[in-house]
Amino acid sequence: MAELRVEGLVKTFGEVRAVDDVSFRVADGEFLTLLGPSGCGKSTTLAAIAGLDRPDQGLIALGGNVFFDGTKRRFVPPEGREIGLVFQSYALWPHMTVWNNLDFPLKLRKIPRAERAKRIEEVLALVEMSEYGARYPHALSGGQQQRVALARTLVYRPSLLLLDEPLSNLDAKLRERARTWLRHLQNQVGVTTVYVTHDQSEALALSDRVAVMNQGKIVQLADPHTIYEHPADPFVADFIGSSNFFRGTVTGIANGSVRIAIGDGQPLVAASPLRLRDGSKVTVSVRPEKIYLSDSPQANGSDATNVFPVRIEERTYLGAHHTVLVRVGNDSFRVDCDTLPAGETAFAHIPPESCIVFQAQTDR
Amino acid sequence: MTIQSEAPRLPAATVPQFDRNLAIQWGITAITGLLVLLPLLPVFYQAFLDRPLYDSDAALTAANFGRLFTAEFGHVIGNTVWFAIGTTVIAQVVGIVGAILVGRTDLPFRTAFGELLLWPLFLSHLVMAFGWFTMYGPSGYVTLVVQSIIGVTPWNLYTVTGMAVVGGVAQAPLAYLYCIASASAADPNLENAARSAGASPWTVLRTVTLPLMRPAIIYGTIMNAVIAIEMLSIPLVFGGPVQIELFTTYLYHQVFMSATPDYSLVAAASFFLLVIVMLLMALQGMLMRNAGRFVTVGGKASRPGRFPLGPWRWVAFGALLFYVIFGVVVVVGGLVLRSMTVLLTPLMPIWDLFTWGNYQMIAGYEVYVRSIKNTILISVIGGILGTVLITFIALVATRSEFRFKRQLEYLAISPRAIPGIIAGIGIFYAMSYFPPLGWLRNTIWLLVIAYIMRYLPTGFGAIAPALSQISADLDRSARTVGADWWRTSRSILLSLLKPAMFSCFALLFIHFLKEYVTAVFLFAPGSEVIGTTMLQFWIQGDNGPVSALATIQILITVIFVYVARKALGVRIYG
Ligand SMILES: Nc1ncnc2c1ncn2[C@@H]1O[C@H](COP(=O)(O)OP(=O)(O)OP(=O)(O)O)[C@@H](O)[C@H]1O
Ligand SMILES: [Mg+2]
């Protein structure tokens, strides 16, 4: 078992910098997720680690084995890396039975027949597919194929497991079950894992740590809680969960909280550890579920800070809760609430500690 | 959980010292390069030498071209251009009309017509030429019948235009083949949309259907022009007796009819032809790039809606029936009849002329039997070797990290621009220059090599699209589980490619069976093939055995195509 090191990885396709100076480490046995919108370079990063694409620069090493070193022009081909990669398409070989799919990597390693059979049975049991050894891939459901694909990579006991959106072809219900099952399995096996997805809830539920990527760069690498509660920039705040954004200017600073003039000059108080100056341009993000709506300005026993009279513009019923679009002055924002306010107007309470302040890009 | 116990591993994280994958990839590239350059280099070299290239006193010169471009040669070019244009226009018109009628309309018996229009594709031009000669030549059966009715001979095939008619009918199947694919894939909704907008069927045909077929039409037009330019059989059979020279017959006569063939002049002419064909191919590439926007994107498997022809159904049926009967059935049938008679003439009842003599004559001479055996051997062995080579070329060119894979692909499809006659001349020169190649001379291996080179692009066209249908993830996953490129190719890709390899073999087999142009300059005692033997008989005026050999060739083809399609389920031409 070993630690994965990726340093300064760059991969360009013509003009496009698909992966742009990416560095991260995955500790032995850790589960790291690369999360980001479509086209941000997740698959390209994974392919570089697996050796399927040759990067332009950087270093990739697993434990003491250097797989790629741009400065020394060292490149280990994929078959020399002992890595397991589960493809989004599963890539089961259609002309082989499940059993033979699993047998192929073992044959390559010249493992004796009896040992091969033992291992295949073991790993089929692990993924709960023992009865399906004689089937061909086309006679399996999507979920079953995904398990076989996983079994095929586990059967030769790779030192590193890479998964590229392995659940994206499953329906919503099955995806949730497979997620739990996968996490459980990874715990059991204890293999170092890099997981790629663009589904944020999958990333938060599965990972020890999440690396959020945007346009070929890692914008934040942290545990799921930090990513959600303390996003590093507005992109992360918006991509993970959802956020309302207010643009404004700092008008006053007092012991850990700042006063910001937003929209038509309305004051918004936010708790922030940032060192800000008067007149700094900032963006404030607030998650819809952190805002309260009530019929009076004094609900929930809170004081009078950040209470805005709002007009309700749109209501959407989402089953578990309602989402309401409200307007104050020129700004409109979303609020999640369990019960709808009665009238057309209401009061929105925004707790200062739920406000996350980012310095505007140009101000840095 | 103990699944991560120590286990036998691949030698981890190694950059291999000797890389067998690279060795194989380079090996395949080298073989392909040798194959393609073998005929080309000698032609290039000889074209600029003042003496035969084996002569150690030979010096570089450009004077050969001066000697080539004489008034006589200008005449040859004029004839060739006229023949090529006539052949192409006739072939394209028949092919396009046929494809539209079969693919887009409610023509009666269109499946049968589809087969009949395509079938001559399996037959060699030489066989077609003999068939036409037998039925429509100056003393052909049909000619004599018509003459006895109306008193005059209404046509003369011994003219450039006459040859163009024969060539056009012989090449129509190819035009049909390219067009039928796009005609039957066309989305009927496009046409329906135009019709519901008030366009008449004729307008729809002109403004929607034909433009959609444009890429196929452009492609087929240039293909047919190239084939017409490099065609030997029809000019030889119909132009030879009356001294009408076309490019290929000019080369043929230069080599075979003069006591000491002028190597330099022949090479200069070959070089010239090569340049023309390459220019046409480049033109095709350019036109096709611009034609891309007309390619219909395959819609969902919707059954193409058909134009109702109304009362014109039977007019179209009659016209097509007339064409198929007189262009295909009479020609092939006449040849078969001729092979079983002493003489084919409307003046005597046919049963009085019946004989097995022609076949007995063939069976009686070892050379003739050998040419049949050789043809089959070359088709089988060459087909197998060619399929294997082409498959690996395709694997390296499209499924490897080989640095020169693009170049390999270009190399593999470049013989499309090497006419068979040039391939023959070039390899012939190569042999006179490298004496070690001489031992190949009297064996079938020289022809196997030449044929494989000639048909690399044909086979590549059968394998490469099938390969691109196989998801790249399948080999990428094999690589990550520890198989190198060679192992992946063998265990994963080859197994999945089997159907395409059968198709490739079938195509090569059929082409090798009917090929003769390449062999004309290369065969020697011991390596005769059906085509070269037929030509020899024909020059001696033995039309009976020629017809018998042609019939045997047709029979082998029919049996092979039938078995391959029906019993083995191989796809040949769609
Ligand atoms: N072979 C290629 N040639 C050119 N551009 C490529 C190639 N592969 C990827 N790219 C580009 O690189 C960028 C990153 O692609 P990548 O496949 O890594 O995205 P991704 O994050 O995996 O997206 P998704 O979630 O949609 O799978 C994209 O802009 C893509 O268009
Ligand atoms: Mg991807």
Side-chain angles (χ1 to χ4, degrees):
Chain A
M1 288 292 85
E3 177 198 56
L4 172 72
R5 271 191 300 148
V6 174
E7 286 169 16
L9 192 69
V10 175
K11 172 76 192 176
T12 54
F13 294 106
E15 294 290 286
V16 187
R17 281 175 91 81
V19 176
D20 190 358
D21 193 19
V22 161
S23 303
F24 59 89
R25 284 172 184 234
V26 192
D28 190 3
E30 190 185 14
F31 194 118
L32 178 96
T33 296
L34 299 178
L35 173 66
S38 185
C40 71
K42 307 175 301 278
S43 296
T44 309
T45 307
L46 218 57
I49 298 172
L52 294 170
D53 270 339
R54 198 186 179 115
D56 300 321
Q57 287 169 40
L59 178 113
I60 301 170
L62 185 65
N65 291 328
V66 177
F67 289 157
F68 174 74
D69 187 340
T71 57
K72 299 202 184 87
R73 309 193 69 221
R74 178 183 166 84
F75 179 81
V76 179
E79 62 267 21
R81 296 191 179 196
E82 284 292 324
I83 284 179
L85 172 56
V86 178
F87 291 75
Q88 184 171 5
S89 62
Y90 310 140
L92 297 176
W93 302 306
H95 61 300
M96 297 182 185
T97 59
V98 167
W99 185 277
N100 289 337
N101 262 279
L102 269 58
D103 204 26
F104 183 68
L106 300 181
K107 274 190 188 152
L108 291 172
R109 288 163 179 77
K110 309 216 160 42
I111 296 170
R113 175 184 292 273
E115 167 74 10
R116 294 205 310 259
K118 194 177 125 254
R119 284 233 216 147
I120 294 169
E121 271 160 22
E122 198 176 84
V123 77
L124 279 181
L126 188 70
V127 299
E128 297 156 31
M129 290 289 292
S130 295
E131 295 98 85
Y132 296 89
R135 291 253 190 120
Y136 280 92
H138 64 83
L140 297 176
S141 74
Q144 291 166 336
Q145 289 185 26
Q146 180 250 331
R147 285 165 187 232
V148 175
L150 191 63
R152 188 177 65 185
T153 53
L154 291 178
V155 75
Y156 58 94
R157 300 169 188 174
S159 338
L160 176 66
L161 183 61
L162 307 174
L163 302 116
D164 192 354
E165 313 209 14
L167 307 183
S168 64
N169 286 340
L170 307 181
D171 66 57
K173 259 280 174 294
L174 190 55
R175 191 152 61 218
E176 228 160 275
R177 263 198 292 145
R179 188 158 86 191
T180 320
W181 174 83
L182 187 67
R183 179 72 236 222
H184 184 69
L185 189 81
Q186 196 265 347
N187 263 340
Q188 233 182 341
V189 178
V191 60
T192 312
T193 303
V194 180
Y195 186 94
V196 160
T197 182
H198 60 248
D199 179 335
Q200 38 135 341
S201 55
E202 215 168 276
L204 298 180
L206 280 168
S207 326
D208 293 321
R209 285 190 304 151
V210 178
V212 183
M213 290 184 72
N214 188 23
Q215 296 183 349
K217 290 185 160 58
I218 293 186
V219 285
Q220 188 171 15
L221 201 172
D223 62 278
H225 186 81
T226 310
I227 295 267
Y228 193 82
E229 298 293 338
H230 307 286
D233 68 10
F235 169 80
V236 180
D238 193 32
F239 187 72
I240 314 284
S242 59
S243 292
N244 296 301
F245 290 102
F246 302 96
R247 266 167 255 289
T249 313
V250 176
T251 57
I253 306 158
N255 50 22
S257 74
V258 285
R259 175 177 289 269
I260 297 153
I262 58 166
D264 310 333
Q266 311 217 28
L268 177 71
V269 178
S272 172
L274 289 181
R275 295 173 170 279
L276 294 162
R277 281 180 285 108
D278 265 14
S280 296
K281 299 260 182 257
V282 292
T283 302
V284 179
S285 101
V286 190
R287 297 201 179 275
E289 74 271 20
K290 300 265 168 86
I291 305 177
Y292 307 101
L293 284 186
S294 66
D295 296 327
S296 75
Q298 263 90 34
N300 298 338
S302 63
D303 54 24
T305 48
N306 294 351
V307 177
F308 302 96
V310 296
R311 164 169 298 280
I312 293 169
E313 300 212 309
E314 208 179 288
R315 303 171 169 83
T316 313
Y317 177 57
L318 292 173
H321 61 264
H322 301 265
T323 289
V324 186
L325 183 70
V326 301
R327 173 171 287 277
V328 47
N330 288 335
D331 284 317
S332 56
F333 55 93
R334 256 163 238 289
V335 181
D336 288 351
C337 50
D338 294 336
T339 50
L340 281 174
E344 283 303 302
T345 57
F347 292 92
H349 300 245
I350 305 179
E353 58 281 5
S354 301
C355 297
I356 306 164
V357 182
F358 304 106
Q359 261 177 304
Q361 299 283 335
T362 50
D363 217 43
R364 276 186 192 165
Chain B
M1 187 68 212
T2 55
I3 232 181
Q4 293 295 334
S5 61
E6 52 331 295
R9 295 186 166 279
L10 298 169
T14 45
V15 185
Q17 294 300 312
F18 168 77
D19 189 344
R20 64 171 180 176
N21 304 298
L22 262 184
I24 293 165
Q25 288 158 3
W26 273 112
I28 286 164
T29 309
I31 292 173
T32 314
L34 275 179
L35 271 182
V36 175
L37 293 182
L38 181 71
L40 284 188
L41 285 185
V43 170
F44 288 163
Y45 187 43
Q46 178 70 71
F48 295 97
L49 284 182
D50 58 355
R51 283 155 219 245
L53 74 176
Y54 54 77
D55 188 332
S56 52
D57 291 334
L60 287 175
T61 173
N64 300 330
F65 292 95
R67 289 198 293 133
L68 177 65
F69 295 115
T70 58
E72 184 208 357
F73 190 67
H75 211 66
V76 168
I77 292 185
N79 286 341
T80 308
V81 169
W82 181 230
F83 173 71
I85 292 175
T87 297
T88 307
V89 168
I90 294 171
Q92 288 298 121
V93 168
V94 172
I96 294 165
V97 171
I100 291 175
L101 286 178
V102 172
R104 310 295 304 131
T105 70
D106 60 348
L107 177 82
F109 301 105
R110 47 181 180 269
T111 325
F113 277 126
E115 284 286 303
L116 282 168
L117 283 172
L118 209 51
W119 247 99
L121 210 53
F122 298 123
L123 307 179
S124 93
H125 290 145
L126 202 54
V127 169
M128 297 293 283
F130 291 144
W132 277 80
F133 172 81
T134 308
M135 301 313 277
Y136 303 112
S139 54
Y141 190 90
V142 177
T143 315
L144 294 183
V145 170
V146 172
Q147 212 172 27
S148 70
I149 298 171
I150 63 173
V152 290
T153 316
W155 56 73
N156 180 10
L157 292 184
Y158 286 19
T159 60
V160 178
T161 313
M163 287 186 238
V165 171
V166 183
V169 175
Q171 280 309 109
L174 195 69
Y176 173 81
L177 176 70
Y178 291 132
C179 290
I180 189 68
S182 68
S184 44
D187 184 353
N189 292 331
L190 293 172
E191 288 167 359
N192 293 342
R195 294 201 73 176
S196 55
S200 73
W202 178 245
T203 315
V204 172
L205 181 71
R206 215 162 28 80
T207 54
V208 181
T209 315
L210 274 179
L212 286 174
M213 290 167 70
R214 219 173 99 167
I217 293 173
I218 292 174
Y219 192 84
T221 301
I222 301 221
M223 246 9 229
N224 271 328
V226 167
I227 291 172
I229 290 174
E230 57 181 75
M231 192 186 294
L232 175 64
S233 55
I234 292 169
L236 198 60
V237 169
F238 298 107
V242 289
Q243 278 86 42
I244 298 178
E245 292 271 44
L246 267 67
F247 211 112
T248 46
T249 47
Y250 170 82
L251 286 175
Y252 183 83
H253 290 138
Q254 282 291 330
V255 174
F256 288 108
M257 296 303 154
S258 54
T260 49
D262 187 337
Y263 270 56
S264 304
L265 196 65
V266 169
S270 306
F271 186 86
F272 180 69
L273 178 59
L274 209 52
V275 170
I276 300 288
V277 172
M278 280 176 182
L279 285 178
L280 278 173
M281 285 299 178
L283 177 71
Q284 184 184 55
M286 236 168 57
L287 290 175
M288 289 307 286
R289 218 173 309 134
N290 297 334
R293 65 202 164 98
F294 290 106
V295 178
T296 32
V297 183
K300 295 273 169 335
S302 64
R303 219 172 49 78
R306 296 181 174 278
F307 279 131
L309 288 177
W312 292 98
R313 269 179 97 201
W314 296 102
V315 177
F317 172 80
L320 216 48
L321 190 67
F322 178 86
Y323 171 81
V324 163
I325 286 180
F326 288 98
V328 182
V329 177
V330 164
V331 172
V332 174
L335 205 55
V336 174
L337 267 186
R338 175 66 185 87
S339 75
M340 296 188 288
T341 48
V342 185
L343 189 72
L344 196 60
T345 165
L347 306 178
M348 287 162 77
I350 213 148
W351 45 90
D352 287 351
L353 298 168
F354 179 82
T355 175
W356 288 117
N358 297 320
Y359 290 94
Q360 278 158 354
M361 180 165 170
I362 287 171
Y365 286 95
E366 207 210 319
V367 185
Y368 307 152
V369 177
R370 193 163 62 213
S371 69
I372 297 172
K373 260 198 254 166
N374 281 345
T375 304
I376 295 175
L377 269 182
I378 291 172
S379 302
V380 173
I381 297 173
I384 292 172
L385 292 180
T387 302
V388 170
L389 177 65
I390 289 162
T391 304
F392 281 110
I393 291 174
L395 285 173
V396 177
T398 64
R399 290 319 245 287
S400 78
E401 306 91 84
F402 187 54
R403 198 179 321 158
F404 301 107
K405 57 185 198 169
R406 300 288 311 155
Q407 287 84 342
L408 176 61
E409 179 169 348
Y410 286 130
L411 200 60
I413 58 175
S414 63
R416 204 180 277 168
I418 308 179
I421 197 158
I422 307 296
I425 291 173
I427 293 177
F428 181 74
Y429 284 180
M431 276 191 317
S432 60
Y433 189 62
F434 311 111
L437 283 175
W439 68 269
L440 287 171
R441 186 72 212 262
N442 297 64
T443 70
I444 58 168
W445 294 103
L446 191 66
L447 293 182
V448 167
I449 291 171
Y451 284 14
I452 289 178
M453 189 285 294
R454 270 279 278 150
Y455 290 98
L456 281 182
T458 309
F460 195 81
I463 299 279
L467 199 50
S468 69
Q469 298 285 307
I470 300 173
S471 159
D473 280 358
L474 293 182
D475 31 329
R476 286 154 69 91
S477 65
R479 297 295 299 275
T480 57
V481 307
D484 64 359
W485 173 81
W486 177 236
R487 182 66 196 255
T488 303
S489 296
R490 275 184 305 142
S491 300
I492 309 295
L493 293 174
L494 276 192
S495 315
L496 296 172
L497 264 183
K498 257 180 218 152
M501 289 173 73
F502 277 117
S503 296
C504 177
F505 171 77
L507 270 183
L508 292 184
F509 183 95
I510 292 166
H511 277 109
F512 291 1
L513 198 65
K514 65 183 202 180
E515 178 65 48
Y516 67 95
V517 185
T518 315
V520 157
F521 293 97
L522 292 179
F523 83 99
S527 64
E528 305 88 349
V529 293
I530 294 180
T532 57
T533 307
M534 277 199 286
L535 261 182
Q536 280 186 327
F537 274 129
W538 183 79
I539 287 166
Q540 294 158 18
D542 286 339
N543 295 333
V546 170
S547 313
L549 271 178
T551 304
I552 291 172
Q553 194 178 36
I554 295 172
L555 207 63
I556 299 173
T557 312
V558 171
I559 293 171
F560 176 81
V561 171
Y562 184 81
V563 170
R565 271 186 175 168
K566 292 280 141 59
L568 304 175
V570 172
R571 288 164 57 97
I572 311 168
Y573 298 133

